[in-house]
Amino acid sequence: MKKTLSLLILLVMTASAAQAQCGIKNEAFKSGETLQYDLFFNWKFVWMNVGSATWNVTQTTYNGKPAYRATLTTTTSKKADRYFIMRDKLTSYVDLNLSPLFYQKDANEGGTFRQEKVWYSYPSGQCALKMYYRRNQKQPQQRTHQGKHCAFDMISMILRARCMDASSFKKGQRVPFLMAEGKRAEWRHVIYQGIKTFKMEGSNVTYRCRVFSYVEKEKGKEKEIVRFYITDDKNHLPVRLDLNLRFGTAKAYLRSVKGERNPQTSIVR
């Protein structure tokens, strides 16, 4: 799930500069929002429910100043653990203007333990990063990055992307963004695929969504890693994710919503 809910909603990043432009007005979510997801994996052409994911946003403080704390946890079921164990927790602190402050990821995936950390600061109108990465018991890697472009981790990008207006996007439009991970900061792309309605798995709810693809280059060729569906309303909720993972194909479907900020006007029936 490490490139799922979190990469997955990276729809509208632009190469903005300086701290003031790293923030954005929030009209999409409020403190107390909680989203629950069901995770499915394609095992020998059969779709199996393998676990769950939870997203939560809470207003708190960071270094004594008001901030939002957003967390994403993913857990495979005991049945699925026989094939692949996943215990991930991603945490991001942003100020009330959604400028990133700190990010941490603790992941146990298939018996491999990874930890990532990113500290953000904004000296002289630039964006500076301190990054930390450790795998199992190996020696930690620490790197820095500084430049005029804003950087975002997987979780802070979800928050920012949900507050962007994609109504003027054209099908096929590509959007670059600078992503901060524990090991590096790299430019990535998403591609807008247009508007689609679909019926949610296991329910009678049909959503109107804006669809995006997250792509990466492998051996010089682009590969779609995630196709994600964002509600076409003021909440911009991620309701469906189609994932092309190294160990197979997976999907995530929104199961329940609590504490949303705006009416869910993208439900068409």
Side-chain angles (χ1 to χ4, degrees):
M1 251 327 250
K2 59 184 177 181
K3 291 179 180 178
T4 64
L5 297 175
S6 32
L7 296 174
L8 321 178
I9 326 298
L10 313 180
L11 61 161
V12 284
M13 291 297 99
T14 57
S16 54
Q19 181 185 13
Q21 285 127 12
C22 290
I24 190 172
K25 185 177 181 180
N26 170 31
E27 295 181 338
F29 63 87
K30 63 181 180 180
S31 179
E33 179 188 78
T34 301
L35 311 178
Q36 297 281 351
Y37 294 85
D38 287 325
L39 307 181
F40 293 84
F41 180 70
N42 194 323
W43 179 258
K44 296 182 178 180
F45 305 104
V46 177
W47 285 100
M48 301 172 55
N49 189 324
V50 296
S52 62
T54 301
W55 165 272
N56 177 260
V57 180
T58 304
Q59 186 169 338
T60 181
T61 59
Y62 181 82
N63 286 342
K65 297 181 179 180
Y68 287 114
R69 179 181 64 242
T71 60
L72 174 66
T73 58
T74 59
T75 305
T76 47
S77 64
K78 292 183 179 180
K79 181 180 179 180
D81 284 349
R82 292 180 292 177
Y83 307 99
F84 186 84
I85 295 175
M86 183 188 300
R87 300 288 188 275
D88 291 1
K89 183 174 182 179
L90 291 72
T91 303
S92 183
Y93 287 82
V94 299
D95 66 20
L96 298 188
N97 292 320
L98 307 191
S99 296
L101 302 171
F102 174 73
Y103 167 75
Q104 180 167 334
K105 175 180 178 179
D106 297 290
N108 174 7
E109 297 172 347
T112 298
F113 297 87
R114 295 182 179 89
Q115 185 177 71
E116 301 175 8
K117 296 181 182 180
V118 181
W119 292 265
Y120 298 83
S121 60
Y122 302 91
S124 303
Q126 293 198 328
C127 180
L129 310 173
K130 291 175 58 180
M131 295 173 284
Y132 171 100
Y133 174 84
R134 185 168 187 173
R135 175 175 175 172
N136 294 329
Q137 299 302 316
K138 294 183 179 180
Q139 186 69 20
Q141 302 177 32
Q142 299 186 59
R143 298 185 181 181
T144 60
H145 171 90
Q146 184 168 329
K148 65 179 181 179
H149 299 295
C150 297
F152 304 87
D153 53 78
M154 290 187 284
I155 301 300
S156 63
M157 237 194 248
I158 293 176
L159 297 172
R160 180 179 176 87
R162 290 179 57 189
C163 296
M164 301 292 284
D165 180 9
S167 61
S168 62
F169 277 33
K170 297 181 179 180
K171 188 174 181 179
Q173 183 170 337
R174 302 172 68 92
V175 183
F177 60 89
L178 184 61
M179 182 174 182
E181 297 177 324
K183 291 192 290 186
R184 62 183 69 87
E186 291 186 338
W187 287 98
R188 306 282 176 85
H189 288 85
V190 292
I191 303 172
Y192 179 54
Q193 302 293 350
I195 296 178
K196 181 178 180 180
T197 60
F198 80 98
K199 182 179 178 182
M200 180 63 72
E201 184 76 13
S203 77
N204 294 320
V205 177
T206 298
Y207 286 98
R208 181 183 65 255
C209 295
R210 295 187 178 273
V211 184
F212 296 81
S213 296
Y214 168 78
V215 298
E216 290 184 352
K217 278 193 174 182
E218 292 186 4
K219 298 180 180 180
K221 295 183 179 180
E222 278 192 344
K223 177 182 178 181
E224 181 179 270
I225 304 300
V226 183
R227 180 164 291 212
F228 47 100
Y229 297 68
I230 309 298
T231 57
D232 186 27
D233 58 21
K234 291 184 178 180
N235 293 304
H236 297 157
L237 296 173
V239 295
R240 171 180 166 182
L241 305 166
D242 297 347
L243 318 171
N244 296 309
L245 308 175
R246 292 182 179 179
F247 54 87
T249 305
K251 295 181 184 289
Y253 293 103
L254 183 67
R255 184 180 69 214
S256 66
V257 181
K258 179 182 177 181
E260 69 271 34
R261 179 167 180 167
N262 305 295
Q264 295 191 55
T265 58
S266 64
I267 298 178
V268 295
R269 59 178 178 270

